[in-house]
Each structure stands twice: as structure tokens, then as C-alpha cells.
Amino acid sequence: MTTPPAPRLRPRRPAWAGRNYTLLTTAAVVTGLGNAGALIAAAFAVLEAGGDGGDVGLVAAARTLPLVVFLLIGGAVADRLPRHRVMVAANSLNCLSQAVFAVLVLSGEARLWQMAVLSALGGAGQAFFSPAAEGMLLSSVNGEQAARAFALFRMGMNGAQIGGAALGGALVAVVGPGWVLAVDAAAFAVAGALRSLLDVRAVAQREPGGGILRDLREGWREFVGRPWLWSIVVQFSVVNAVVGAAEAVFGPLVAEDQLGGARPWGLALAAFGAGTVLGGLLMVRWRPRRMLLAGSLCVLPLALPSAALAVPVPVVPLVVVMFLVGVSVEVFGVSWMTALHQEIPEDKLSRVSAYDWFGSVAMVPLATALAGPAEEAFGRAGSLWGCSALILALTLAVLTVPDVRRLRRRETEPVAEGGPAAATDTAPEPVSPR
């Protein structure tokens, strides 16, 4: 008697993790690996070219300034055009700017103004990418599984920080920053190619609006009509600014002067990435009912890295601090995305996201540009302690907003017929972390 062959088992995946979700998660991991190293490489490229802390801050500000200028337009464009096409175009611009940056650094001909211009081009690409990416992801999962989808996506993307930051710091120390920038350019090329393969035929067509200005006004009304939304964005306008100054300017300087160079700072950033992975695993299981209250409480530990750099603590305690902060940041990130997904209409997601991003990064260029002068005026330790104090004060202020404390998760959410959330195999899309 012949034994029938055993049936071939096909791997099962959640209903919302379709082909596009897999493509875009892979693309986000690829760019995450490249970007983690490039952040370190850009700072040390400036230092190797003879720049000081003020020059590092100016190059970092040059990237963020066009991001602020073009974000609102990018959000309106992303709610008008197919979001995946906006993302591919932005990836192409980022690839080109990083490739030229790498060539200049490798040739030894990089000048401060050239690095600033290329960083600005990268920021412009990010301004169009971020609202499109966030709008696509938020509109592509159903309400019941939204938090789990966001947590798993962010876990994959942030997991790239572990290898990317550690490898980037090591490569900067061994082969120099130019090759790390070249790897980042290649990562953008691969990610853009993956996103060009998306099947978005099931995404509902958007009705034509009455112009960019009208679109922006509609997004503004959605934004200011929700106290929980604008209060947290105002909070992060300062929090992101001081964290950005500490990470892009003070962190490399402390590492160079007192911790041994790029490698330990890369290790600290990798520990942060590892913390975000653990935070993502936590949020796959944990679904806090008062999601914004839980998330806002987890912003308080963001004051710790600046304090650790102000002391400064040895490498091992710094790594532990960065790991714990990574866990807490991910709790906030998933809670925030879940709140946006639950409360904001799908056709306005990219515009509201643009106002969110605009408020969150508007002060970063000023903070990074002033990091050098602040160090001269107050000392490096005094400036870092000031960063910690601002984070604590603003987070405690946000916790006094009733909507932040009271907004509750809805267990189920109706899905519009024919909308992208109903087409679970065709549209999930990435979002940049806060």
C-alpha cells in the first residue's frame, strides 16, 4: 500500500501582511540600515574635513531646513497623487544626493558648503516621502489589527538600527565615512526599486480637490480641532529639537573627546535600536486602553541620554540608558500611530501627518545650528542639562491635557467598503519613526 505524500504546508501570515506589506517592510529595513550609519558618517565627514561642532550642527540643520519648508506641500501632494509614486521619486533624490556626497568625501574634496547643499537635497526628499509613507501605512490596516501591524513594521524597521549603527560606527573608524555614505546611497536605490513593484490597483481613487491651499486649510482644521494632537506636536517641536542637537552634535563630540571616537557612539545608537525592537515586541502584545497616556509617560525617559552625556557616563552605562530609552520611545511611537489611525479620516491622513511632521521638526534646524554657540555660552554640560530639563517640563505639561489622559482605544473600527484597509493584500506602507 502506497502512503500518500504528506501535504505541503504553506507558511501562513496574518491577513494584513500581504505582498505589499512584505515589500515595504523590506524596503524600510534596507533604508534603516543605510541611514543609521549615514547619520554617524555625515558628522565625522565634517570633522575630518576640518570642521568643528558648529559646522556639524550647520550641516545637520541644512538637512532639516528644507524638510520643514516642503513638508506641508509634500503632505498635500501625497493626498492628491498616488502615494507610492511620491515615495519612489523621493528615494531617487535621496539616492542621488548621498551618492554625490560619498564621491566628494572619498575624493577628499568635500567642502562644508557642498556637504550642506547635499544634505539639504536629502531633506527635501524626506519632506515628500514622510507624509506619503505615513498616510499609506495608516490607511492600509484595519482597526482591530492596527496596533499590531504598526508594532511589527516599526520593529522590523528599527531593528535595522542595531546592525546599521554599530556597523556604521565601525566602518567610519576603519574605512572612513565616505564608504558608509555610498552604502546609504545604494540602500535608497534598492528601497526605491522595491516600492516601484507595489500593486495599488485596489486603492480607492481620490476626488480632485480645489487646490493646494484649500487642501492645506482642510488639513489644518483637522489638526487644530484635536487638542491631544496639536499639544503633543507642540511638545515634540521642542523635544525633537533638543534630542536632535544632542544626537547629531553633542553625542559625536562627547564620543570623540571622552569616549574613544565613532565606535562607542555607534554602539550606543545600536543599543537604542535594540531597545526599539524590544519595545515593538512589547507593543505586539500590550494594547493599553488609554494609549496616549501610556505613550506620553514613556516620553519622560527621553531626558536621560542628554543627562548621561552631560556627566558624561562611561560607555556601558550610556549603552544601558540608550537601550531603555529605545524601549520607551517605541511604546510612544506605536500608541501615537494607533491614535492617528483611529481618529483621522483616511483622505486627510497625509496632510495631518505633514502638520505633525512640520511641528515635530520645525525647530530642529535652529537647535542644531545653535548647538555650537550654546556650547560656547553655557558649556557642553550646561547645554545638555538644559536639554533634559526641557524634555521633562514639556512632557509633564502635555500630561495635563484632558484628551491626552482620556483618549481610549476602540477595539473595533468600521472599514470603508472598497477602501485600502479592506484590500489587505495590496497596500500596507512604511512610516518613518518619530
Side-chain angles (χ1 to χ4, degrees), residues 29-272:
V29 169
V30 169
T31 52
L33 284 167
N35 287 336
L39 288 173
I40 303 170
F44 282 92
V46 174
L47 295 175
E48 285 190 5
D52 56 16
D55 295 327
V56 172
L58 286 173
V59 171
R63 178 178 178 83
T64 312
L65 183 59
L67 175 60
V68 173
V69 171
F70 292 110
L71 259 174
L72 298 184
I73 297 174
V77 168
D79 273 341
R80 281 175 164 261
L81 302 180
R83 288 168 178 155
H84 71 295
R85 293 182 182 174
V86 177
M87 296 171 66
V88 171
N91 284 166
S92 300
L93 177 59
N94 287 134
C95 173
L96 178 62
S97 63
Q98 290 295 75
V100 175
F101 200 161
V103 169
L104 289 173
V105 173
L106 288 170
S107 68
E109 299 297 325
R111 301 291 182 265
L112 181 63
W113 70 267
Q114 294 170 329
M115 291 186 280
V117 169
L118 292 169
S119 293
L121 288 175
Q126 188 69 25
F128 286 87
F129 176 86
S130 295
E134 187 157 315
M136 197 66 149
L137 177 65
L138 293 176
S139 64
S140 300
V141 294
N142 61 51
E144 190 173 347
Q145 295 294 333
R148 179 169 295 177
F150 301 150
L152 288 173
F153 174 83
R154 289 174 62 96
M155 185 171 61
M157 183 174 63
N158 292 332
Q161 299 293 324
I162 300 173
L167 183 60
L171 286 176
V172 168
V174 175
V175 299
W179 288 110
V180 180
L181 293 167
V183 169
D184 191 36
F188 277 116
V190 172
L194 289 172
R195 287 164 181 145
S196 71
L197 300 176
L198 294 173
D199 179 5
V200 294
R201 289 173 295 178
V203 177
Q205 294 292 322
R206 297 180 179 86
E207 294 295 330
I212 293 291
L213 291 178
R214 178 178 174 181
D215 289 348
L216 291 175
R217 285 195 297 269
E218 289 180 355
W220 176 252
R221 285 195 292 269
E222 291 289 337
F223 176 76
V224 299
R226 293 173 168 82
W228 62 267
L229 177 58
W230 63 256
S231 63
I232 290 178
V233 170
V234 169
Q235 170 200 13
F236 270 88
S237 69
V238 178
V239 169
N240 282 347
V242 298
V243 168
E247 181 176 306
V249 182
F250 294 124
L253 290 174
V254 172
E256 182 77 9
D257 294 343
Q258 297 173 280
L259 298 179
R263 193 186 301 269
W265 184 237
L267 183 62
L269 294 178
F272 176 84

Side-chain angles (χ1 to χ4, degrees), residues 286-340:
W286 185 37
R287 303 176 67 189
R289 288 285 294 163
R290 297 188 183 186
M291 46 194 171
L292 288 182
L293 175 60
S296 295
L297 287 171
C298 286
V299 176
L300 292 170
L302 271 173
L304 293 176
S306 296
L309 290 171
V311 173
V313 301
V315 175
V316 172
L318 177 62
V319 167
V320 172
V321 165
M322 295 292 280
F323 178 80
L324 295 175
V325 170
V327 175
S328 65
V329 162
E330 199 61 13
V331 174
F332 171 80
V334 174
S335 299
W336 178 250
M337 291 176 66
T338 304
L340 292 176

Side-chain angles (χ1 to χ4, degrees), residues 396-417:
L396 292 173
V398 159
L399 288 169
T400 68
V401 178
D403 286 353
V404 171
R405 301 194 308 272
R406 297 172 185 169
L407 185 66
R408 293 178 180 269
R409 178 194 305 274
R410 292 197 293 268
E411 292 301 326
T412 59
E413 182 173 313
V415 179
E417 183 178 354

Side-chain angles (χ1 to χ4, degrees), residues 11-19 21-22 145 148-149 152 424-425:
R12 299 184 63 185
R13 60 187 178 187
W16 44 264
R19 173 178 177 270
Y21 187 89
T22 302
Q145 295 294 333
R148 179 169 295 177
L152 288 173
T424 54
D425 194 48

